Amino acid sequence: MMMTATGDAVLTPARAALEQACRKVGLDASGAMLLRDFASTVYLLPAEDVVVRLAEAGVPGRLERLTTSVRVTRWLVAHDFPAVRPLDVTQPVAAEGYLATFWHHERDAEEVSSGLRALGLLLRRLHDMPQVPFDLPVYDPFGPVRRAIDVSRVLSADDRAWLLDRCAELEEIYYEQVEFSLTYGLIHGDAHRGNLVRAGGRLVLCDWDSVSAGPRELDLIPTMGGARFGIPDRERAEFCEGYGYDVTGWRYYPVLRDMRELRTLTTALRTGHRDPKAREELGYRLASLRAGDGRRWHPF
């Protein structure tokens, strides 16, 4: 955290929101540690053993999505599904232009370096759960991408027009031509290896901000399209073995893969003006997409 000459902490907007949100629910924010500042800003409260996720409140539909993530994970935990556990407080909490959600800290949580077969098994189990006893938001394939394009401060006019045209092209195919082979229902919405952690002696699925109702194929695409990020064929085969289905053999797989690739741009589109690495990677991915090649992409 930045310090003034007198030693007083200079609060960032996210840190100010964290402290206000914690006061509202009676949690001690002293010594809060920043864990991640990416699509969401994530803090650990050492005094409470709680993780706080902060998301900008102005994004359309975000309140509904966060409310759903808390409600769904409570339901999943009650059904003994290994999901990260929300704190028993009324949430999300609005504070200083952010929405805060509160989660139990899994003490020994560590990101899983492989585990793709395990991820496949967990997604199979998730998709086989009973019907959720409340309404879920319908998965929105293109809204988040279009909103990120609209607010981006780093796109050229030409790149902006190309992205919007590409969204329109894929949207027409998705809604008018794609015939799904799996069932429709509860999906995680962002199921990739980075959202699988090992904690308490078991694997736990986290980051449920995109949970929704949609075609189950959508949960398989992040891993099976992961060749872009260096996931080898062997590990993707293990994922298929765990889930029991290889989505790459489905005729419409390339459509959903291309949709997912557009969706990976959203954070860089929103943050590229203040994050040089995000801006550089955004330019690299856009060049790759426009060239139609399969070059490997990089995390940022």
Side-chain angles (χ1 to χ4, degrees), residues 99-114:
L99 293 169
T101 54
F102 304 85
W103 307 85
H104 290 279
H105 177 221
E106 306 290 354
R107 281 186 176 272
D108 59 340
E110 58 181 27
E111 191 170 308
V112 177
S113 59
S114 57

Side-chain angles (χ1 to χ4, degrees), residues 17-236:
L18 172 75
E19 297 196 358
Q20 184 183 103
C22 288
R23 285 195 298 271
K24 288 185 175 184
V25 296
L27 294 177
D28 182 359
S30 62
M33 300 167 54
L34 179 65
L35 299 181
R36 187 177 69 179
D37 187 8
F38 193 56
S40 298
T41 304
V42 183
Y43 285 94
L44 170 65
L45 307 182
E48 303 283 2
D49 210 25
V50 165
V51 170
V52 185
R53 294 171 56 88
L54 297 168
E56 293 182 1
V59 178
R62 178 155 282 170
L63 176 60
E64 179 189 23
R65 290 198 299 276
L66 295 181
T67 300
T68 300
S69 74
V70 172
R71 194 175 187 188
V72 167
T73 48
R74 283 177 176 157
W75 180 81
L76 288 170
V77 170
H79 284 75
D80 199 33
F81 183 89
V84 65
R85 298 167 296 148
L87 213 62
D88 188 18
V89 297
T90 301
Q91 51 176 319
V93 172
E96 300 288 339
Y98 287 84
L99 293 169
T101 54
F102 304 85
W103 307 85
H104 290 279
H105 177 221
E106 306 290 354
R107 281 186 176 272
D108 59 340
E110 58 181 27
E111 191 170 308
V112 177
S113 59
S114 57
L116 288 180
R117 183 177 187 278
L119 178 58
L121 287 167
L122 274 183
L123 289 175
R124 176 78 275 165
R125 183 176 170 187
L126 178 70
H127 295 170
D128 287 342
M129 293 288 289
Q131 184 175 342
V132 179
F134 45 82
D135 291 336
L136 294 171
V138 175
Y139 185 82
D140 182 1
F142 301 99
V145 183
R146 285 196 173 102
R147 288 191 290 270
I149 293 168
D150 288 344
V151 302
S152 179
R153 293 157 61 179
V154 295
L155 284 175
S156 67
D158 186 53
D159 281 339
R160 191 183 305 274
W162 185 88
L163 281 170
L164 291 173
D165 286 346
R166 183 61 173 152
C167 283
E169 177 186 18
L170 289 172
E171 183 176 44
E172 181 178 358
I173 297 171
Y174 178 79
Y175 285 113
E176 295 187 7
Q177 299 182 30
V178 173
E179 297 175 356
F180 292 98
S181 59
L182 300 180
T183 57
Y184 181 98
L186 173 67
I187 60 172
H188 179 277
D190 191 25
H192 58 81
R193 181 164 54 193
N195 285 331
L196 188 66
V197 298
R198 193 179 309 279
R202 66 176 185 168
L203 295 173
V204 175
L205 199 54
C206 60
D207 192 354
W208 293 81
D209 290 0
S210 299
V211 66
S212 50
R216 265 51 187 266
E217 286 89 346
L218 290 166
D219 271 349
L220 311 182
I221 298 300
T223 297
M224 298 312 294
R228 278 283 200 189
F229 298 96
I231 299 178
D233 291 345
R234 172 182 53 80
E235 293 186 15
R236 293 192 297 156

